[in-house]
Amino acid sequence: DFGIRPMQMLLMGLGSCSGIDIVSILKKQKQTVDGFRISIDGEREEGKDASGHTVKMDSSPETGGHDFGIRPMQMLLMGLGSCSGIDIISILKKQKQTVEGFRISIDGEREEGKEATKWKYIKIIFELKGPIEPEKAQRACALSIEKYCSVAATLMGAGCKIEWETKIIS
């Protein structure tokens, strides 16, 4: 059990985001959702899953936070990268591909002019290093984003457009 799972990151981000909005009410309470806990101590939040893995969350000083940790909306992007990365490596291993390095870059654009600003567009670049067949890399990425990654499905279900590309570095 290595760390926090991608869907837990998604839920922690959602819980943290709502916790920041009502921090004055929840300062001394603990909220438990689906096997993890969000603790609010003062204005700082720490998510902990059922296995004890933790992540620190906060908002920017401009929105009342103290820059203590990851912003909840950025955690959604981290969950997306983690979820798709796990899928892609697993698929490529099954295809007998040798992955010597893997890097994921994610950029996103949020809605404007609304109180709750959802992700409306996300661009992912999957950089794979090693003797990998390009068609297999493309197929693994497509399967992850379009079929297996629950975080991608959640974001797309909320209206977010996700585009991706694959780069092979020999």
Side-chain angles (χ1 to χ4, degrees):
D1 204 10
F2 183 67
I4 295 173
R5 291 173 181 76
M7 282 304 288
Q8 288 175 322
M9 281 187 193
L10 176 73
L11 291 172
M12 285 181 179
L14 293 171
S16 176
C17 191
S18 63
I20 290 168
D21 294 340
I22 57 171
V23 71
S24 62
I25 298 169
L26 297 176
K27 280 184 180 179
K28 296 189 181 196
Q29 296 178 8
K30 294 186 179 189
Q31 178 181 347
T32 302
V33 181
D34 192 32
F36 70 87
R37 182 175 308 269
I38 300 213
S39 301
I40 300 174
D41 175 20
E43 306 225 352
R44 299 176 182 195
E45 299 187 27
E46 184 174 274
K48 183 183 287 188
D49 70 7
S51 298
H53 306 110
T54 61
V55 63
K56 293 178 173 126
M57 298 169 282
D58 197 3
S59 65
S60 66
E62 298 81 30
T63 59
H66 299 338
D67 205 20
F68 173 72
I70 299 167
R71 310 289 189 275
M73 291 299 285
Q74 280 66 41
M75 185 167 297
L76 294 177
L77 297 183
M78 292 172 146
L80 174 62
S82 176
C83 183
S84 60
I86 290 167
D87 292 341
I88 292 165
I89 294 299
S90 174
I91 293 166
L92 290 173
K93 282 183 179 180
K94 289 175 185 172
Q95 295 176 340
K96 307 286 190 233
Q97 299 297 293
T98 303
V99 179
E100 297 170 351
F102 187 32
R103 181 177 153 181
I104 304 171
S105 300
I106 303 176
D107 287 309
E109 184 179 328
R110 290 171 65 179
E111 298 173 325
E112 293 180 20
K114 296 183 178 183
E115 189 62 33
T117 57
K118 299 185 292 187
W119 290 111
K120 69 177 184 177
Y121 173 79
I122 295 172
K123 171 72 178 197
I124 309 169
I125 300 173
F126 299 108
E127 291 182 18
L128 296 147
K129 184 177 181 182
I132 302 164
E133 295 175 41
E135 306 80 36
K136 290 187 177 183
Q138 282 287 117
R139 180 71 177 143
C141 294
L143 283 170
S144 175
I145 296 300
E146 297 166 11
K147 185 176 182 179
Y148 296 121
C149 178
S150 300
V151 179
T154 301
L155 288 164
M156 289 186 290
C160 181
K161 180 179 180 179
I162 299 176
E163 292 183 358
W164 55 271
E165 69 178 271
T166 303
K167 295 181 180 180
I168 309 280
I169 301 166
S170 304

